[in-house]
Structure formats: structure tokens, C-alpha cells
Amino acid sequence: MEIAVVGTGEFILGFRLAGVRKTYAAETDERLVEHINQVLDDKDVGILVLKGSDMERIPLRLRTSLENSVKPTVIAIGGDEGGLSMRERIKRSVGVDLWK
């Protein structure tokens, strides 16, 4: 399983420097949606990282799909996380509440 990061050039830079190979720069809303759909179609991706404010820029139908996605698990960093806590996202993807 790999990690994919979609966002602005500044957002993905740190992940690229940390060794994440699947980084996609998206400066426009259209490119953001295009790259997200590309990642969703990639069966090797287990985690998709987005900036919290980018979650607000995508269409409601895609946002709902991302919020309910188990594979890949979608993590929004900064800002509003789309309703689910990190604990809930891990519980959904692993199937066990690791905090108990």
C-alpha cells in the first residue's frame, strides 16, 4: 500500500521530501478533482492525504464518497476534517478501535 498526496505545490512539497512518491500538484479545482479520481482508480494507494481546505473545493458527491471511503482511507490535514475524527477513520479502515 502506498500513500498519495494531492494538493497545491506547497502542500505536497513536504511529503515529496519525506519520500512519498505519489504526489500530485493541483492548483485548480478541475485538476484537484482529476487527480483525486486518478488516485481513487489506483489500486496500490491505501491512504490519500488532502488539505482540509481542499475538501471544501471538491463537488459534494465526490466529497461524500471520500468521507465514506475505506480504501483508500482519506486523511484531511488542517482545517475541517470532513466530519470524522482520526480515530473514526482508523477504526473504519482497520476494523478495530485501537484506543480501547
Side-chain angles (χ1 to χ4, degrees):
M1 290 289 131
E2 294 189 54
I3 298 172
V5 182
V6 179
T8 62
E10 295 88 18
F11 180 73
I12 67 170
L13 180 62
F15 292 95
R16 188 177 291 166
L17 292 172
V20 175
R21 290 180 281 148
K22 294 191 177 193
T23 57
Y24 304 93
E27 302 299 334
T28 65
D29 292 353
E30 293 80 24
R31 296 289 288 170
L32 181 66
V33 170
E34 179 183 320
H35 287 309
I36 289 171
N37 285 323
Q38 180 181 351
V39 169
L40 291 176
D41 291 338
D42 187 343
K43 300 303 177 195
D44 292 331
V45 174
I47 298 174
L48 169 59
V49 179
L50 296 168
K51 190 173 183 180
S53 60
D54 287 344
M55 287 289 283
E56 302 301 319
R57 293 174 40 205
I58 60 177
L60 181 59
R61 177 178 246 162
L62 179 57
R63 186 179 335 144
T64 303
S65 174
L66 292 175
E67 289 172 351
N68 295 324
S69 176
V70 174
K71 185 178 183 295
T73 298
V74 179
I75 305 297
I77 297 178
D80 184 25
E81 290 189 21
L84 292 179
S85 68
M86 184 68 71
R87 179 179 181 173
E88 280 298 315
R89 291 180 189 279
I90 292 172
K91 182 178 175 183
R92 180 180 290 174
S93 64
V94 176
V96 176
D97 188 351
L98 298 176
W99 274 264
K100 285 190 174 184

